[in-house]
Amino acid sequence: METAYLQSFLLVVESGSMSEAARRLDLTPGAVAQQIRALERELAAPLLARAGRTVQPTEAGHRLVQRARTLLRDVSDIKAMLGSEAASGELVIGTINTAIHSLLPDILARFVKTHPGVKVFLQSGTTATLYKAMQQGELDAAVCLYPSFALAKTFDWALLREEPLVLLAPSRLARRDPHELLRTSPLIRYDRNLGGGKQADRYLRAADIVPQERFELSSLLAIAMMVDRGLGVSIVPDIASPLLDGQRVAKIALPLPSETRRFGILWSRASPRLKLIHGFVESAGLVTAGKVNGNGSRKPAGR
């Protein structure tokens, strides 16, 4: 069975169009149709059916989709292990949302310069869901918070950034006492299901502040926009994102000591794509061969 035909089939399913799949593959629609017919003859089952202006998988096609993805992934793993994908192949990277809006684009920009033949798939999620996906082998690496539990010895970790908690307030309130603002202004909570939100909640308890809660959400950028609009104040990790530059908000240091949010890159030491993963980590300016510190993190190079 030609793996290229399986790739064409998956692309048709993904795009819902023979023409679009052909465009992405730089083939003619007739060539893609011929590949699909060859697959159908070999598997003795119809795989695609016309549904209006789109093409959709048949029942047999649906069953093939997941198996085909697994098979192509296994073939890619074998090539990576044998060294034939040193400069090509693919990586599936999981990421928390704030990394997408801050450090990740710069890391990817450096990575594609040194690995132009590698295709990168990004999947966003919480640290808990990303860690579970790593355990199940669904991701090659994850840009996430350091887990609140001990990492399995099969995983490695490199620290990207540590972010203290700060108070976000409208710029006009930059000189006000942060605890006074927290007691008298509506609070825009960072989601308490997330690590940073839990840290913010612990800070409020430690400071003995009962806030006037107005909103609770998981997007730090949306929180900054709401603060800019005068909807309240918020305790959030001090993220480094250029998207915050356009917001009229002040970051005010908190009087009490607070936990820092530590996030970095997590990967499996046994991954067949370890060379590519190390290339990704190096693109983040990290040392991949250094000794892991006692706190479970690696130090970024040059710091």
Side-chain angles (χ1 to χ4, degrees):
M1 181 181 295
E2 289 284 346
T3 56
Y5 293 1
L6 286 176
Q7 290 174 326
S8 296
F9 166 73
L10 290 177
L11 199 52
V12 172
V13 172
E14 176 187 323
S15 63
S17 166
M18 290 271 192
S19 299
E20 176 60 20
R23 187 188 66 79
R24 296 187 194 180
L25 293 166
D26 197 22
L27 297 172
T28 65
V32 173
Q34 187 174 9
Q35 291 178 354
I36 302 302
R37 285 195 295 270
L39 271 180
E40 290 177 329
R41 285 195 300 269
E42 186 171 358
L43 298 174
L47 301 175
L48 296 172
R50 179 70 62 181
R53 295 184 178 182
T54 64
V55 176
Q56 294 183 355
T58 62
E59 183 178 346
H62 277 294
R63 290 198 298 267
L64 177 61
V65 167
Q66 189 57 49
R67 297 298 295 271
R69 286 173 178 158
T70 302
L71 176 60
L72 291 175
R73 183 84 170 162
D74 290 343
V75 170
S76 182
D77 285 350
I78 292 170
K79 290 180 179 179
M81 283 189 293
L82 297 179
S84 61
E85 288 199 344
S88 61
E90 66 178 43
L91 280 178
V92 182
I93 305 293
T95 176
I96 57 175
N97 284 329
T98 48
I100 296 176
H101 302 141
S102 55
L103 299 181
L104 193 55
D106 288 335
I107 296 172
L108 292 172
R110 291 193 289 268
F111 180 70
V112 298
K113 286 182 179 179
T114 55
H115 298 77
V118 177
K119 187 173 183 180
V120 180
F121 298 88
L122 297 178
Q123 297 182 12
S124 63
T126 64
T127 291
T129 58
L130 296 178
Y131 185 73
K132 183 176 180 181
M134 288 289 299
Q135 289 178 309
Q136 295 175 347
E138 297 171 358
L139 300 174
D140 294 310
V143 181
C144 59
L145 303 186
Y146 190 80
S148 57
F149 44 84
L151 285 176
K153 293 181 179 180
T154 54
F155 291 113
D156 212 343
W157 166 268
L159 180 68
L160 277 175
R161 180 177 168 82
E162 291 187 282
E163 299 172 335
L165 291 176
V166 294
L167 178 68
L168 279 191
S171 298
R172 59 185 174 80
L173 303 177
R175 297 184 180 276
R176 296 275 297 275
D177 177 80
H179 281 186
E180 179 191 356
L181 287 174
L182 283 168
R183 289 190 174 97
T184 59
S185 304
L187 179 70
I188 306 170
R189 267 195 185 274
Y190 188 31
D191 191 341
R192 281 169 285 188
N193 291 313
L194 304 178
K198 292 176 182 177
Q199 291 172 347
D201 187 58
R202 286 194 288 269
Y203 184 90
L204 289 168
R205 294 175 185 274
D208 196 24
I209 294 174
V210 179
Q212 305 171 31
E213 299 188 33
R214 175 173 281 179
F215 305 101
E216 183 166 355
L217 63 159
S218 61
S219 169
L220 291 175
L221 291 177
I223 288 174
M225 293 176 67
M226 293 167 75
V227 171
D228 172 85
R229 274 43 165 200
L231 294 176
V233 300
S234 185
I235 297 181
V236 296
D238 186 11
I239 67 170
S241 173
L243 297 180
L244 292 183
D245 295 343
Q247 306 302 321
R248 295 162 297 180
V249 298
K251 294 180 181 179
I252 305 175
L254 294 167
L256 300 181
S258 64
E259 304 170 64
T260 59
R261 191 176 78 152
R262 302 167 59 234
F263 76 86
I265 303 176
L266 177 71
W267 69 92
S268 170
R269 294 174 178 174
S271 172
R273 295 179 175 80
L274 203 54
K275 289 183 180 179
L276 293 181
I277 294 171
H278 282 173
F280 178 76
V281 176
E282 288 165 358
S283 295
L286 304 173
V287 179
T288 59
K291 183 179 179 181
V292 177
N293 300 323
N295 62 2
S297 67
R298 294 177 181 271
K299 291 183 178 179
R303 292 191 182 181

